[in-house]
Every structure is written in structure tokens, then in C-alpha cells.
Amino acid sequence: MDVLLWMFCFIISQILATHGIENSRTVLRTYDNSRSILHRHKRDWRWNTLYTDEEKKTTLPHLIGKLSSTKVNGSARFVIEGEGANTIFKVDDLGDIYAWKTLDREEKSIYHLQAQIFDKKTNKQLEPTSEFEIKLNDINDNAPRFTHNIYNGSVIEMSKPGTSVLQVIAVDPDDSSVSGHARVMYSIIKGGENFRIDLDTGIITSSNVLDREQQKSYELVVRAKDMPGYEGGFSSTASVIITLEDINDNVATFTKKQYTLSVLEDRPIGSEAGMLQIEDKDEPQNTNPMFSFVKQDYSGLFNVVSDNITKNAVIVLKQLLDYEKVKTYTMEVEVTEKTTVPPGKRDPQVNTRAMVFLNVLDVDEPPVFQRPSYFFSIFENASLGTHVGSVFAEDPDEAQKIVRYSINGGNVLTVNRDSGSIKTSNNLDREMNAWHNVTITAVEDGPGGKESTVSVFLKVLDINDNYPKLDYEYDLFVCANARPGKVIQTIAASDKDEMTTGQKLSFYLDHAHSNFSLVDNHDNTANITLKQGGFNPDEKKTYFLPVVISDNGRPQLVSTYTLEIVVCGCDANAEAEPYSCRGAYAQTGVSVHALTAILLCILAILVITLLIVMRRKFKKDSLVTLGKSAGEIHEQLVSYDEEGGGEMDTNGYDVSVLNSVRRSSMRPRPEAQPGPCLYATVQKPAAKGDMAVMIEVKKDEADHDRDGIPYDTLHIYGYEGSESLAGSLSSLESASSDSDQDYDFLNDWGPRFKTLAELYGVDGAENGYEY
């Protein structure tokens, strides 16, 4: 019946697609927006929807339908706009619409367009624009598609049949309104022995009880097909991988019925003695074994626990092993586990108990001392070689090797190499060191012998061998007007010897004193008290008090001190403060340290003063030697009555004196100073005979000028020396000379002879100049 209905619907759709134009023509009404009353035009479009099949196999273009209107005439022209207009769909002048591309309904099922009609001649629109649509008729041309190529699912093992695993989904893009085109039916085509799938929903469920230990995963192939119930149609497949999730449904068991283990006897407490391997078919997170000893004979010596990673049984030491005592241990271990084993799966043949044989291996162990440490005591000042005690160590192995002893640390004890006897080797003083710690080493005799050490503590006992002593050196003072009963000073003493609880030092006077008494406070202190006052400082200023201190030991030791008490005058406050005279007494003299400081200060001042005086004297001598006054040197130079020996004459005067004065003088050289010459400006004499007068004037100015620097250029010599090639250049006798020599050649000798050229030259003789 369904087949006939489907065939009927298919034939009707084809007929409608073929005659869509004629059967779908309707009258398109337009409305006038300017009026609220609906009008009908005399001429209207006569269609609104066109139908065509997708995926047509005919030659392109193929006719889809025809546009028609009551106003169509021979001059009408059709125009379309909208989706696919003039690209996918085109219209001719007769109104026929053609498809120029193969259409696919799954890409687009409806196209919306607008149609217009114009007059070819006037290009005037004959009808208002009308909208129409082109619908594609579906054909079954697509197969269902799964959302995934591979599906992964899981289910807990041992689940009941019918437990949901996962759902697969396939989608068919064909038109669902067409019967069977988009309807999908699911099936398992491979691996369906333990699973089934719902035909319509694609939900996969288990059909049997599954055991992960037998098979961990399953792979299925499922198919999705459209057009269910009809031959043909399209289909697709996908893979489904189902994994079983583990639960703790298997009991852990031992891999063997008995285990033989070996362990060294020197393994420390808490270390592993051996491991018993187990097996469990469940995954590690579901393996939770618990171990115990069947008999508790060795529960105090061993413990059995589960390893955190491997879950195997681990035997742990709770006590040290001794090969010489026990060489082998035999024990039985049991494993238990809380599981969810279903009925009928439990295997009665599994090994949940195992025998363990633990062998202890011998190790060459070091010597063992009888005690972990030794404590001895001895009185101080014991004679050298006094026996203190003995240590003893032995080899715990079966070999029983000989043990030798040696001592380390300190130089007060020695140990016998063979017997371990300890004796003193130095004097012991409790007050210097009350405890001595040494280390004694025991070594097995022979090459490669093992060794061990032990600590020995020696306490030095006290004997009464130290005299009591005052804690301070007391300076005692008493006021002359002090009243009887006043405490002058509280003295304290101590004893280096060990004093038992309640034992105190005793204080008393060697003999009674008329002015002072000593009161024992019974706390290792005593008060010196004034017995009788009324002192006269002018008669006697110092009193001596013999104090005896006893330690009450055995033997009793006594110390005697003579204390000096000084009497001084006090003010009215002396009664309130017995020591107020201490400051006044202390100010009567100056201490040695203060005197030393004062002397050092005075010496430093004298040295500084001497240095200042010597420095000033040194500077003065330097000035006298190198810095003579310019006037003295000038007077010395001009007092010569003869001229020098010229350039080669170095005996006439000391040139170094001139140079030193020139360097040390504070007045700058004349050539470095701008302005006029050192001496007055004069006029050149009209005649050569007047030169003598000018020179005399200059000499007189030089003699009376106390500030002038004695440059040698100021002193003119009449004779330059017998060895001078230039002869005499002196101008002293030029005034009386009758020589007619021409001195114009001096102008050619350079700037150094410029002045001479001006003096003796003919040109410019009448003009004034500055000398």
C-alpha cells in the first residue's frame, strides 16, 4: 500500500512539473496605495509560481515556464530581476524562461524574482512589476551522511544486556516532505553479535554480558539508508569502536606457591627484605590487594605491605637481623581483596597463599662495643697513669677476630691497645675542664679489618684545692664624723672549687678591732661596719683591717686579706652617705695617667713652636742669600770704576747674582710691561757733545732710584774687551771724539741696534724720541 501511495504522489509531481505553466497561472492583483478601496485592473499578470525538476539531464538551456499577461502584444518586451536573473535564468521576448545551469535543490530550493513588461517602441512599462518564484522539485539524489566517520563509545564490563552504549546520527539532505527521500534507517552490518541498534534513532545497546578480561574492545560497522521499504535508494556506513571499562572483578593472586628470598644481615630497619610478585587481571587502578601473615610468629620481626606502584607484596624489616643467631625464616603470606566478582566467575584454583623462605646472608660486621657509650669519673689532680675504666668490643662474626683499640681526641687519656684499659696521661684540673670527651676506635686485627667507634665521657671530680678570693680590690673610706653602726663596705668572695648546695664561705676578723667589725651575711658576702667613731684625720688617717675567709671544705682552706680604710673629712651630709668623702679624697691628688697626658700635650706644643721658628728663620736666610734688595745690587754694580772685559770676561762680576735677582724678583721685566721706559723720557741732544751730559743725568737717576732692577743694559762700558770683534761700542767718550765715522750701517744690523742707530745716525737727529 505504501508503494502504491508513493508512486501516485511521484506521478502527480511530474505532471505538475511538466504542466506547471498552465496549471499555475493565477491572476496577480495590485493595490493602489493612495486609496483604501481594493481595485482590480483590467489587464493583469496571469501567473505567480513556476516549478521545475532538479538535476535535469536535458541539454542546456531547458525551458522552465512562460510569462504571460493580458497586455502582451507584438511589441512587448519581458525583463526579469532577482535571484539568478539573467545568469541562471533568462527570458526571451515571448516570455519563455530558460534555465542555463543544472539546478540542485540541496543548494537552493526556491528562487525569488521580479518580472516587468515594456513596450519595445516606447520603452514604456506596460504593467507594474510583479514578483514570482521558481521552485525545484526534489529527486532522491543524496545519500544519508553520518556526523562522524568513526564513533567511540564505552560501556562498563559485566553490564546487563540492553545497556545503552552510544547513538549514531546520519542526515539526508533531500526533501523530507517527499515520502522516503530523507527518511533514514539504521542497521549493523558487522560486529553485531553482542550489540543491537535501533532502526530509527541509531541508539546502540549491549545484547550480552561482556567481560573486559576476555575482550577489551569491539569494532562495529553501521549503515544508514534512505527510502526505507523500497528497493534502491542511497546508503552510507560508519565505524563504531566500543571499549569496555574495567571494574575490580578479579582477585589478586600470587604468581607462585612459594618464594625464596635472601637478605643481608646488616640491612637497616625499615628496608626491604624481599618482594612477592602477584598478578591481577584488572587494571592497576582496580587492583587493591591486602597482605598478611597466616601465622603471627614473625609479625614482630617482619611486616608485609603492598607496593604503591606494582601492588606486589613487600616484606619489610622491623628489627635488625643477625646471621649468627638465625639463618633462615619460614613464613606463609596471604593476599585478600575486596572485589565485585559476579556469581559463577570466582576461580577456586587461584593462589591466594604462598610460602616464603627468607635466608639471612652473613656480612663481615665491625666490632660491637658492649655499651653505646661509656661514662667514667675521676678526682682531679690524680697522678699520671691512674686507671679510669675499660671499654670492650668483640667481633660478632663467626671468625671472632682479635680487636685492637686506639683513642682519638684530647691528650689526657690513653687506652691499652689490647685490653681497652683507659688511664690518665696528663694532669686533670676540674677548674680548667670539668669534662673530657674522647672517641675510642675498635679495629679488627688483620688486613681490611672493620672498625667501629664509641664515645667516652670522663667527668673530673672536685677536690678542695683552691683558696677563696675577694671578687674586687676594695678602696675603703670612712668619714671622720661617721656614727657607729654605719656599714662602710659590703665585700664579696668566691671559690673556684665546686660548692655543694647550701655550702657558703665564712668571713671573720683575724683579731678583734677597736673601731671596725665584720658581719657575715651567709651568702658569700660580709659587711664592714663602724664600731666606734670620732676619728681625727689629723692624727691618724689610715686603719688596717685583717679579714679571714674560709671555704668550709675538706681540707678547709683559709685566705687572709688586710684591708686599708682611709679616714677623710666629710660635710654635713656624711651621716646620710658614708662614702661622700670619696670624691674629695680622690681630688687631693692627680693620677699618673692624667700627669702623663698633660706632659704629652706640653711636649707637643713645644715641638710645634720650634718647627714654626725654624721655618721662619729658614725663609729669612733664603731671602737674604737669593733675594737681596735691588738697591744693594744696583749700588754694587755701578760702583765699578772700570769697564768689564767684554763678552768673554766672566771675572769682573758674578753673573749668577744678576740672574738670581732677575728670576727671584717680584717685579716683572720691563720688556714685559707696556708703557714708557724705566727712566725718564729725554730728548736726544742736539749735538754729539751733549751725550756726556745725558749719561751723567742717567747715572745720577740710576744712583738714586732704589726700586730699579739692576739690568746690565743700564750700565754702559767704554771698552767691550780685547777679544771682541766689534771693538769698543761705549758711548762714554763719544762726546769728545773728533771721529767722523759714519754710523749709518747700524741700521742694517737689526732691531737690537736700532737705538744706537737713532743716537748716532744723521737722519732724524733733530727729532725728539723716548729713550
Side-chain angles (χ1 to χ4, degrees), residues 442-457:
V443 183
E444 295 176 348
D445 193 17
K450 298 288 184 177
E451 67 177 34
S452 60
T453 59
V454 69
S455 296
V456 176
F457 304 93

Side-chain angles (χ1 to χ4, degrees), residues 364-383:
D364 187 8
E365 299 175 274
V368 177
F369 284 93
Q370 288 181 336
R371 303 178 190 174
S373 60
Y374 290 85
F375 293 86
F376 300 111
S377 62
I378 189 175
F379 283 101
E380 63 176 330
N381 299 330
S383 59

Side-chain angles (χ1 to χ4, degrees), residues 260-264 273-274 357-361:
T260 301
L261 306 176
S262 298
V263 60
L264 297 174
F357 301 96
L358 182 62
N359 297 322
V360 181
L361 303 180

Side-chain angles (χ1 to χ4, degrees), residues 110 154 174 214 230 232 290 354 489 559 592 629 676 682 762:
I110 300 177
S154 62
D174 290 326
Q214 295 182 0
Y230 298 95
M290 294 178 291
Q489 179 70 54
S559 299
V592 177
S629 65
V682 298
V762 177

Side-chain angles (χ1 to χ4, degrees), residues 7-66:
M7 292 179 65
F8 175 76
C9 294
F10 180 74
I11 292 172
I12 294 299
S13 65
Q14 296 297 322
I15 293 173
L16 291 175
T18 305
H19 304 283
I21 299 175
E22 291 76 11
N23 295 332
S24 62
R25 289 176 181 172
T26 60
V27 178
L28 180 64
R29 292 178 173 83
T30 60
Y31 298 89
D32 188 357
N33 296 330
S34 64
R35 299 179 182 181
S36 61
I37 301 174
L38 180 64
H39 295 276
R40 180 181 179 184
H41 295 276
K42 294 181 179 180
R43 295 182 178 92
D44 293 322
W45 294 99
R46 299 169 61 184
W47 52 271
N48 59 3
T49 303
L50 301 178
Y51 293 91
T52 184
D53 293 335
E54 66 169 335
E55 302 291 347
K56 276 190 174 183
K57 304 301 181 183
T58 59
T59 305
L60 295 176
H62 57 263
L63 180 63
I64 294 178
K66 187 177 181 64

Side-chain angles (χ1 to χ4, degrees), residues 623-649:
L623 292 176
V624 171
T625 304
L626 299 178
K628 291 183 178 180
S629 65
E632 293 177 7
I633 299 176
H634 173 75
E635 187 67 24
Q636 177 184 358
L637 293 176
V638 299
S639 63
Y640 285 99
D641 197 23
E642 63 179 356
E643 295 189 6
E647 295 176 350
M648 304 302 292
D649 184 7

Side-chain angles (χ1 to χ4, degrees), residues 319-352:
Q319 293 184 12
L320 295 177
L321 302 178
D322 191 348
Y323 171 81
E324 286 71 30
K325 293 181 179 179
V326 180
K327 296 180 175 58
T328 302
Y329 296 91
T330 303
M331 62 197 79
E332 187 176 9
V333 180
E334 182 180 18
V335 57
T336 58
E337 186 177 11
K338 294 181 180 180
T339 62
T340 57
V341 180
K345 190 178 179 180
R346 192 180 301 274
D347 187 2
Q349 302 299 324
V350 296
N351 297 323
T352 58

